[in-house]
Amino acid sequence: MASEEASLRALESLMTEFFHNCTTNERKREIEELLNNFAQQIGAWRFCLYFLSSTRNDYVMMYSLTVFENLINKMWLGVPSQDKMEIRSCLPKLLLAQHKTLPYFIRNKLCKVIVDIGRQDWPMFYHDFFTNILQLIQSPVTTPLGLIMLKTTSEELACPREDLSVARKEELRKLLLDQVQTVLGLLTGILESIWDKHSVTAATPPPSPTSGESGDLLSSLLQSPSAAKLLNQPIPILDTESEYVCSLALECLAHLFSWIPLSTSITPSLLTTIFHFARFGCDTRVRKMSSVNGSSQNSVLGQERGRLGVLAMSCINELMSKNCVPMEFEEYLLRMFQQTFYLLQKITKENNAHTVKSRLEELDESYIEKFTDFLRLFVSVHLRRIESYSQFPVVEFLALLFKYTFHQPTHEGYFSCLDIWTLFLDYLTSKIKSRLADKEAVLNRYEDALVLLLTEVLNRIQFRYNQAQLEELDDETLDDDQTEWQRYLRQSLEVVAKVMELLPTHAFSTLFPVLQDNLEVYLGLQQFVVTSGTGHRLNITAENDCRRLHCSLRDLSSLLQAVGRLAEYFTGDVFAARFNDALTVVERLVKVTLYGSQIKLYNIETAVPSVLKPDLIDVHAQSLAALQAYAHWLAQFYGEVHRQNPEQFISLVSTALEAITPLISSKVQEKLLLSACHLLVSLATTVRPVFLISIPAVQKVFNRITDTSAQRLPDKAQVLVCRALSNVLLLPWPNLPESEQQWAVRSANHASLISALTREYRQLKSNAIVPQRKVQLEDTKVIIHQTLGVLEDIVESISGESTKSRQICYQSLQESVQVSLALFPAFIHQSDVTDEMLSFFLTLFQGLRVQMGVPFTEQIIQTFLNMFTREQLAESILHEGSTGCRVVEKFLKILQVVVQEPGQVFKPFLPSVISLCMEQVYPIIAERSSPDVKAELFELLFRVLHHNWRYFFKSNVLASVQRGVAEEQMENEAQFSAIMQAFGQSFLQPDIHLFKQNLFYLETLNTKQKLYHKKIFRTTMLFQFVNVLLQVLVHKSHDLLQEEIGIATYNMASVDFDGFYSAFLPEFLASCDGVDSNQKNVLGRNFKMDRDLPSFTQNVHRLVNDLRYYRLCNDSLPPGTVKL
């Protein structure tokens, strides 16, 4: 024994040294290597068994258990059966003897090690594994230990993580399912007996306002007075031990429910018991008592009891999340809902002592979260099932949900509840669309609830009603491109919009008066504006008045957003029916925007500039944005009235433009300036009135933009204004024939507009060749950046329009395009400039390639092909970082547009495009791990194949008629093979996005052009690809794509099933290392010769799983093992 004793002392000192904070990393590595070598020795487990029984050092125990874990999971096959028997008998004895004294994490690890043995050996060699667990649970002294073992067994055996053969996984699941009824019976018994035992002794508390809650709703929910009575018993007070046992039992149930199917073995008495425990979470009295008694132990007790409620709700939610409900289980579900809604009623009950909100604040946050999850699952998964039960009061449920939502103690809780309402509104909308006949009946049933919801959500976004909460929201920090306040507002407005869709008149009559009230305050500010020495000042100074004004302006801003969000519900089929409401809104908005611009509220001095100035700017900006939302309505209005009496329409548009033009200035705050620009773009693009060009306000903007002496607007605004002006001249006027479009005049005006915008840019051509000084170079770059930004945007906005508009656009741009091409070679080494130029050319190719004509397009492509030499590409990709890669990506994108062009025009470029890809770009990026450029390159190769199939495969029609089968003539075979080779290589790289994209491309080529059936693919590549895909599955490198890889493998194999089964599979297995011939035979036999997709992919996944398992087993055999 001395050597064991000595080893233990040595190990203890090593472990202490390893975890000491003075030990160097170098020394730690040495110790680690020593420990690993020790663990690999045959028979190391005997030492570990001694260590476990003889040490009190946690580190040593943990190490010893890790040695066992490794032995069982990786080397078990090679352990002599005598040793296995000894281990199976010693470890459980050790657990029984020491479980009370071991630290919990060591005890749990020991349980897991024993369960690992069961996973390998039960029932054949370890037949009493499960009966032992059941006995532990049934003996009061070891119940907790038995429950820990049971939960570990459920975790490790039902969905085993480590590799096991598929047959063993299926066997374990079946073995466990056979035990489910017994186990659930035991767990029910434990929970019931603890509840009953403590209920009897619980002293009946005096009748408090919270007891005696067998309310009216409750009896209608539960249908039986006895059930209501049961749920109204006072909650027992449990001792610590009982509480611990209950929490373990509930944890077991939650895990069991995650994998067992819904069936009658989940009995009504079990469900009722779980609900009893769910009450622990919503009983505030429990927490009260713990705080009254003062001692810390008691308050811990209160938290523990809250935790029982959380665990019980977890069990309920596991059952709720199952969508597939057998007929016989539906009644149980109904009973579950009834009991949970009893809890919901309990949580939201008001009485003298408590408001609902203060009740919810007292509950455990996790409990509230679980409860909200339950409600979400109820609405999203089961509402359609339950709504048809006459005895389930859906409207009363909504009333409870309403109370629960609007008394949430946290913002996150409120958001989660709004999500549930959104789900409900979606459900209602789709139900009405599918049942148009009884639409009214459905709506009438829910109308009151929806109107209440709408009113309350609107109140929640207003400072007038909810100031304290709204001021807590952060409006500074961006998260996912929005601040907390913006997210709050957006989610609320989505609910408002969904109600509007269902009940338009109600929603409008609720929202508009509220908007009116706040507008009155805003429009009344004029009387407080006084002229001071420095300008205009708002004469409101009292602190209280300023605060009230701040709240009113914030609310007005939110309500304007709400009105804008509802614009879509006034257009289309309902235009006429809701015309008057929409006209009222648009008139108000036009009035408000003009008012803001005329009295220049954005420049006014205020008593609290840091607060009121941003408020005034925001209201002005939101009023412009809300008006912009009605552009489609204005366009429809124009279509209806342009022939008869358009005066009202003309007046609305002219007034709006008067509001916009004063704001288009570099002196105006950017937020407001951009809102004005966006509105101008919408009027020019969506509404397109014929008289726009003749309005003085618009001419004023033209003059301002083309005047070189005027200060330039910020980039974004400049681009928007130029887009609007260009569209005024380019877009065809609606409702007018071609002959009245005045193209000649508009064309001349457009040419002069573009000429003015590009004056400085076009002058660069003369000195493009001269090397420039640094300062001059920076100035040149600014001109290129500004001009190309504007031109690119103009082309993009016109790309989907009529041929005439595109022709005029190109005529105006022609000279600038030629200048750009001439400048390109001079800037080839300035990747930031090249990037912008290629962006511009890409947009030109996408929008105006027909107008540019073939000769000039050829000239551009040829210039690019000449400039992007191998050296230049290497410089861009390897040395210029992300900008250089972006340049190459844009160049490849331009080529994608070119190779997609139908007809013969650009076909002559195919050879040079393919050689650029395969000989210049591909060699540079093939070996780089970085994903840059690869996605674009493979998309280009895919487009080359997809749109130019005949370049590779000339199908001879005559031959196909004569022989009845298309005889392929293959051309450019070397290029085709090289492209396929590149695709194959890409599957060997770790980048999962590229893998997914390229697999999709191959599958598309097969669907559209029968790629896998082509002779060259079938005979020389098919099984190489299948081999690569199977290897990827075996290596688990792209596990997220398992399903896609399985389907692609099937599509490839199905081209030649005979070849797959007779030649490929045997060869694949023969070439597999790490498995012996017997195992290969088993793998081959298990792969059934199925030819349908589901069975085939199942066979593939079985093959991959079992191959991995066999390798693991074989690795675990001691060296020199002879296998017969």
Side-chain angles (χ1 to χ4, degrees):
M1 223 51 223
S3 67
E4 286 185 348
E5 174 69 32
S7 301
L8 176 56
R9 296 294 154 253
L11 181 59
E12 284 177 345
S13 73
L14 273 177
M15 281 299 188
T16 312
E17 183 186 354
F18 185 88
F19 287 102
H20 195 280
N21 51 13
C22 297
T23 311
T24 64
N25 285 346
E26 198 54 47
R27 176 64 181 145
K28 282 189 177 184
R29 268 196 292 280
E30 281 172 24
I31 297 175
E32 207 170 340
E33 201 173 321
L34 193 66
L35 295 175
N36 285 341
N37 292 341
F38 179 78
Q40 293 306 319
Q41 292 179 116
I42 296 171
W45 65 269
R46 287 190 182 280
F47 283 93
C48 291
L49 202 56
Y50 169 75
F51 299 160
L52 280 171
S53 51
S54 314
T55 185
R56 280 284 148 268
N57 183 315
D58 293 351
Y59 297 135
V60 170
M61 287 198 244
M62 211 56 178
Y63 168 73
S64 306
L65 288 171
T66 314
V67 172
F68 272 112
E69 196 171 34
N70 192 46
L71 177 79
I72 294 157
N73 288 329
K74 304 234 171 87
M75 300 153 71
W76 198 237
L77 207 66
V79 176
S81 55
Q82 196 54 45
D83 289 9
K84 287 184 184 175
M85 278 172 63
E86 202 175 326
I87 293 170
R88 282 196 297 262
S89 113
C90 292
L91 287 179
K93 280 182 188 157
L94 185 73
L95 179 66
L96 262 179
Q98 302 207 8
H99 73 98
K100 285 266 202 276
T101 53
L102 287 173
Y104 73 94
F105 54 93
I106 304 279
R107 178 204 60 205
N108 291 359
K109 182 81 165 177
L110 180 50
C111 289
K112 181 185 174 300
V113 168
I114 295 168
V115 169
D116 282 343
I117 301 175
R119 194 180 55 212
Q120 303 279 358
D121 290 356
W122 175 58
M124 184 73 97
F125 303 109
Y126 191 177
H127 56 90
D128 54 357
F129 166 69
F130 208 84
T131 35
N132 287 350
I133 293 177
L134 297 178
Q135 282 167 355
L136 287 173
I137 293 174
Q138 283 162 304
S139 153
V141 188
T142 54
T143 303
L145 183 61
L147 291 172
I148 292 168
M149 286 291 287
L150 177 63
K151 180 171 174 239
T152 313
T153 304
S154 174
E155 289 167 349
E156 299 297 326
L157 272 60
C159 320
R161 283 182 294 242
E162 302 287 330
D163 291 283
L164 289 178
S165 73
V166 170
R168 177 63 178 157
K169 286 178 180 173
E170 288 166 357
E171 180 190 19
L172 282 173
R173 203 173 179 89
K174 195 172 167 309
L175 286 165
L176 282 175
L177 279 171
D178 293 342
Q179 301 288 341
V180 160
Q181 204 152 359
T182 317
V183 166
L184 290 181
L186 271 179
L187 293 171
T188 311
I190 289 173
L191 291 168
E192 277 182 351
S193 65
I194 291 181
W195 181 277
D196 293 343
K197 178 181 159 196
H198 290 81
S199 290
V200 182
T201 54
T204 315
S208 73
T210 50
S211 55
E213 284 179 9
S214 54
D216 42 334
L217 172 58
L218 181 58
S219 33
S220 76
L221 273 175
L222 287 173
Q223 301 287 298
S224 73
S226 63
K229 188 159 177 288
L230 260 176
L231 281 170
N232 262 322
Q233 293 173 345
I235 291 186
I237 292 168
L238 307 181
D239 56 81
T240 318
E241 181 64 17
S242 307
E243 208 147 270
Y244 178 52
V245 170
C246 291
S247 69
L248 288 172
L250 289 168
E251 280 175 16
C252 281
L253 282 170
H255 197 275
L256 290 165
F257 288 164
S258 70
W259 62 267
I260 62 177
L262 294 179
S263 69
T264 43
S265 50
I266 300 172
T267 59
S269 65
L270 173 56
L271 290 176
T272 306
T273 306
I274 294 173
F275 275 99
H276 278 319
F277 281 94
R279 285 172 55 202
F280 273 109
C282 60
D283 197 80
T284 49
R285 259 201 327 259
V286 172
R287 312 194 84 181
K288 281 279 158 46
M289 291 179 67
S290 61
S291 57
V292 169
N293 297 348
S295 78
S296 62
Q297 189 187 354
N298 266 329
S299 66
V300 170
L301 249 169
Q303 284 164 2
E304 272 301 313
R305 308 184 62 178
R307 187 165 165 265
L308 285 182
V310 175
L311 291 171
M313 282 309 292
S314 295
C315 295
I316 294 166
N317 287 351
E318 279 295 350
L319 294 176
M320 290 291 303
S321 59
K322 296 180 194 292
N323 204 346
C324 169
V325 180
M327 278 303 289
E328 67 271 17
F329 200 77
E330 288 218 342
E331 196 188 329
Y332 289 10
L333 259 185
L334 184 63
R335 187 175 291 146
M336 281 174 65
F337 298 140
Q338 291 169 337
Q339 295 181 315
T340 318
F341 295 132
Y342 158 72
L343 295 179
L344 181 58
Q345 191 194 16
K346 204 170 157 54
I347 290 178
T348 54
K349 192 165 185 68
E350 295 182 62
N351 56 36
N352 319 339
H354 283 14
T355 61
V356 180
K357 186 159 183 183
S358 68
R359 272 186 89 90
L360 288 175
E361 275 169 349
E362 283 176 4
L363 300 185
D364 188 316
E365 242 177 79
S366 325
Y367 187 75
I368 295 278
E369 262 173 51
K370 292 284 179 199
F371 213 96
T372 307
D373 286 346
F374 168 83
L375 295 169
R376 181 186 297 105
L377 288 166
F378 173 70
V379 172
S380 59
V381 182
H382 301 284
L383 184 62
R384 61 177 195 287
R385 195 177 274 126
I386 291 297
E387 204 193 7
S388 52
Y389 281 87
S390 54
Q391 70 264 45
F392 188 81
V394 181
V395 178
E396 285 86 339
F397 157 63
L398 290 177
L400 290 177
L401 177 60
F402 181 85
K403 272 165 86 174
Y404 181 78
T405 303
F406 292 105
H407 290 102
Q408 281 296 316
T410 65
H411 293 306
E412 281 308 319
Y414 178 61
F415 282 151
S416 302
C417 290
L418 279 189
D419 282 343
I420 298 174
W421 282 103
T422 307
L423 287 167
F424 173 70
L425 293 166
D426 288 343
Y427 162 74
L428 212 51
T429 309
S430 63
K431 181 173 170 172
I432 283 169
K433 282 180 181 155
S434 63
R435 292 170 39 180
L436 290 170
D438 56 353
K439 176 181 173 180
E440 290 309 313
V442 175
L443 274 177
N444 288 339
R445 183 178 187 193
Y446 295 118
E447 187 179 302
D448 295 349
L450 296 183
V451 173
L452 258 176
L453 172 70
L454 176 75
T455 313
E456 193 54 44
V457 169
L458 279 175
N459 288 348
R460 282 303 164 104
I461 60 172
Q462 293 178 68
F463 280 77
R464 182 192 212 166
Y465 302 108
N466 193 24
Q467 184 172 356
Q469 268 196 305
L470 294 180
E471 283 185 338
E472 287 171 18
L473 291 171
D474 173 10
D475 198 16
E476 302 292 320
T477 346
L478 283 177
D479 178 23
D480 279 348
D481 284 340
Q482 52 181 0
T483 63
E484 193 180 20
W485 158 253
Q486 287 167 336
R487 178 183 162 207
Y488 181 89
L489 188 59
R490 191 163 301 157
Q491 273 190 284
S492 305
L493 293 187
E494 282 314 300
V495 174
V496 172
K498 284 178 191 295
V499 177
M500 174 86 183
E501 194 175 348
L502 291 162
L503 300 171
T505 27
H506 279 89
F508 186 74
S509 56
T510 308
L511 174 64
F512 196 68
V514 191
L515 176 72
Q516 273 290 72
D517 289 353
N518 285 289
L519 276 177
E520 294 309 318
V521 175
Y522 180 63
L523 294 170
L525 289 179
Q526 196 163 1
Q527 61 199 6
F528 295 103
V529 174
V530 293
T531 314
S532 64
T534 48
H536 296 283
R537 191 163 52 78
L538 189 63
N539 198 12
I540 296 177
T541 50
E543 188 183 339
N544 203 21
D545 292 344
C546 287
R547 187 173 294 124
R548 276 172 46 215
L549 177 58
H550 166 64
C551 291
S552 176
L553 291 172
R554 289 290 300 262
D555 289 349
L556 178 54
S557 172
S558 304
L559 293 162
L560 285 166
Q561 287 181 60
V563 165
R565 177 65 187 82
L566 303 182
E568 63 182 283
Y569 303 113
F570 293 107
T571 51
D573 307 341
V574 296
F575 177 80
R578 299 193 196 146
F579 176 78
N580 289 330
D581 283 349
L583 184 63
T584 315
V585 170
V586 173
E587 284 178 338
R588 297 298 287 167
L589 291 175
V590 168
K591 180 180 174 186
V592 171
T593 48
L594 182 64
Y595 162 83
S597 297
Q598 279 176 337
I599 66 166
K600 294 195 169 56
L601 283 171
Y602 52 91
N603 268 343
I604 216 151
E605 290 177 24
T606 61
V608 206
S610 63
V611 177
L612 291 179
K613 188 158 184 173
D615 288 345
L616 290 164
I617 290 170
D618 193 45
V619 166
H620 200 163
Q622 294 300 351
S623 63
L624 291 159
L627 184 53
Q628 186 200 350
Y630 284 84
H632 288 283
W633 181 86
L634 281 168
Q636 204 168 343
F637 184 19
Y638 184 37
E640 304 280 331
V641 299
H642 76 104
R643 284 279 176 238
Q644 353 18 328
N645 43 353
E647 291 72 28
Q648 197 173 22
F649 172 77
I650 294 174
S651 142
L652 283 174
V653 173
S654 314
T655 316
L657 283 161
E658 278 177 52
I660 293 171
T661 31
L663 302 175
I664 295 182
S665 145
S666 46
K667 295 187 178 68
V668 171
Q669 294 85 353
E670 191 161 6
K671 181 178 193 173
L672 189 49
L673 168 63
L674 289 176
S675 288
C677 295
H678 280 295
L679 176 54
L680 182 62
V681 169
S682 289
L683 290 174
T685 313
T686 309
V687 190
R688 308 186 190 183
V690 69
F691 54 83
L692 210 54
I693 188 81
S694 52
I695 294 181
V698 176
Q699 290 171 346
K700 212 160 146 189
V701 178
F702 264 105
N703 296 338
R704 183 183 184 316
I705 284 293
T706 50
D707 173 9
T708 39
S709 61
Q711 196 183 349
R712 188 188 151 94
L713 296 172
D715 279 352
K716 266 187 190 167
Q718 181 83 6
V719 165
L720 287 169
V721 174
C722 292
R723 183 199 308 173
L725 299 180
S726 168
N727 284 355
V728 167
L729 297 168
L730 286 181
L731 300 182
W733 290 320
N735 324 312
L736 283 183
E738 192 66 16
S739 56
E740 294 176 35
Q741 292 284 353
Q742 303 177 18
W743 286 125
V745 183
R746 295 167 76 185
S747 174
N749 286 336
H750 192 265
S752 56
L753 170 70
I754 297 294
S755 168
L757 292 174
T758 58
R759 191 171 297 119
E760 286 184 86
Y761 182 66
R762 286 176 293 114
Q763 288 164 357
L764 294 176
K765 187 177 179 181
S766 52
N767 52 10
I769 317 340
V770 188
Q772 298 183 322
R773 293 196 309 282
K774 193 154 192 229
V775 179
Q776 203 180 349
L777 179 66
E778 285 311 310
D779 292 348
T780 307
K781 280 187 176 182
V782 169
I783 294 173
I784 294 176
H785 166 73
Q786 291 180 342
T787 312
L788 290 183
V790 168
L791 296 184
E792 188 182 329
D793 183 81
I794 286 176
V795 176
E796 206 170 310
S797 70
I798 204 79
S799 60
E801 294 299 332
S802 67
T803 313
K804 189 71 189 167
S805 304
R806 296 209 301 254
Q807 267 172 353
I808 296 174
C809 184
Y810 184 63
Q811 280 163 6
S812 309
L813 283 173
Q814 202 163 359
E815 192 186 340
S816 304
V817 176
Q818 283 163 345
V819 169
S820 306
L821 192 59
L823 289 174
F824 187 78
F827 287 96
I828 187 73
H829 298 296
Q830 308 278 336
S831 56
D832 50 346
V833 179
T834 330
D835 185 26
E836 289 182 331
M837 288 194 164
L838 283 174
S839 277
F840 175 51
F841 277 109
L842 177 59
T843 310
L844 278 175
F845 270 86
Q846 286 164 336
L848 300 178
R849 61 184 172 281
V850 180
Q851 285 68 33
M852 292 198 301
V854 176
F856 186 52
T857 312
E858 288 181 345
Q859 188 191 336
I860 296 175
I861 297 170
Q862 205 48 63
T863 306
F864 289 167
L865 288 172
N866 296 343
M867 294 310 301
F868 282 108
T869 58
R870 176 93 187 242
E871 296 69 35
Q872 180 55 44
L873 286 164
E875 180 190 333
S876 294
I877 295 172
L878 302 175
H879 306 300
E880 289 179 4
S882 58
T883 323
C885 287
R886 265 208 316 276
V887 167
V888 179
E889 284 172 353
K890 282 185 182 145
F891 173 43
L892 296 174
K893 273 197 167 112
I894 291 175
L895 295 178
Q896 285 168 23
V897 177
V898 172
V899 300
Q900 283 179 74
E901 190 62 28
Q904 293 304 307
V905 183
F906 295 135
K907 295 295 179 253
F909 282 112
L910 274 177
S912 46
V913 169
I914 295 172
S915 91
L916 173 98
C917 291
M918 299 314 301
E919 292 157 30
Q920 318 266 6
V921 183
Y922 182 66
I924 300 173
I925 62 165
E927 295 309 313
R928 294 183 77 216
S929 56
S930 150
D932 294 336
V933 185
K934 286 181 186 168
E936 296 303 341
L937 175 72
F938 280 104
E939 184 175 345
L940 174 55
L941 292 173
F942 165 66
R943 303 267 169 223
V944 166
L945 292 166
H946 188 37
H947 297 276
N948 304 279
W949 196 245
R950 302 278 298 277
Y951 176 76
F952 301 102
F953 299 98
K954 284 246 186 293
S955 54
N956 185 331
V957 179
L958 189 63
S960 68
V961 173
Q962 288 165 350
R963 298 200 190 83
V965 57
E967 182 57 46
E968 304 162 338
Q969 282 183 309
M970 179 86 201
E971 294 190 354
N972 303 301
E973 189 175 325
Q975 290 183 323
F976 179 80
S977 298
I979 293 174
M980 285 295 124
Q981 189 75 36
F983 271 95
Q985 283 292 316
S986 74
F987 293 142
L988 300 173
Q989 293 179 337
D991 183 351
I992 194 161
H993 298 291
L994 189 69
F995 190 105
K996 185 178 184 176
Q997 168 193 299
N998 287 358
L999 195 60
F1000 170 73
Y1001 288 157
L1002 288 185
E1003 291 280 84
T1004 308
L1005 290 171
N1006 185 48
T1007 315
K1008 297 277 173 33
Q1009 276 121 347
K1010 294 273 178 278
L1011 168 67
Y1012 305 158
H1013 298 258
K1014 296 294 172 208
K1015 188 177 171 191
I1016 180 173
F1017 192 90
R1018 212 175 52 236
T1019 53
T1020 62
M1021 307 173 187
L1022 182 68
F1023 290 131
Q1024 286 182 347
F1025 272 103
V1026 177
N1027 188 18
V1028 166
L1029 293 179
L1030 285 178
Q1031 294 295 358
V1032 165
L1033 287 174
V1034 172
H1035 290 300
K1036 278 191 156 179
S1037 53
H1038 298 71
D1039 250 13
L1040 288 172
L1041 301 176
Q1042 263 184 3
E1043 197 177 328
E1044 290 91 333
I1045 296 173
I1047 294 170
T1049 310
Y1050 171 77
N1051 289 335
M1052 289 180 189
S1054 63
V1055 172
D1056 181 8
F1057 268 137
D1058 295 338
F1060 178 81
Y1061 286 118
S1062 64
F1064 171 75
L1065 197 57
E1067 277 175 33
F1068 175 77
L1069 290 170
S1071 68
C1072 285
D1073 47 2
V1075 280
D1076 63 35
S1077 55
N1078 180 30
Q1079 290 167 331
K1080 289 177 183 177
N1081 291 338
V1082 175
L1083 291 171
R1085 272 204 309 278
N1086 282 345
F1087 204 116
K1088 306 284 181 284
M1089 292 205 186
D1090 296 309
R1091 297 193 170 206
D1092 62 291
L1093 173 68
S1095 313
F1096 183 88
T1097 48
Q1098 204 173 350
N1099 287 330
V1100 165
H1101 293 310
R1102 183 183 194 116
L1103 169 77
V1104 165
N1105 181 86
D1106 290 358
L1107 177 58
R1108 289 175 59 80
Y1109 170 66
Y1110 286 145
R1111 281 179 175 168
L1112 188 82
C1113 292
N1114 297 342
D1115 287 347
S1116 72
L1117 292 171
T1121 305
V1122 177
K1123 293 205 325 210
L1124 299 170

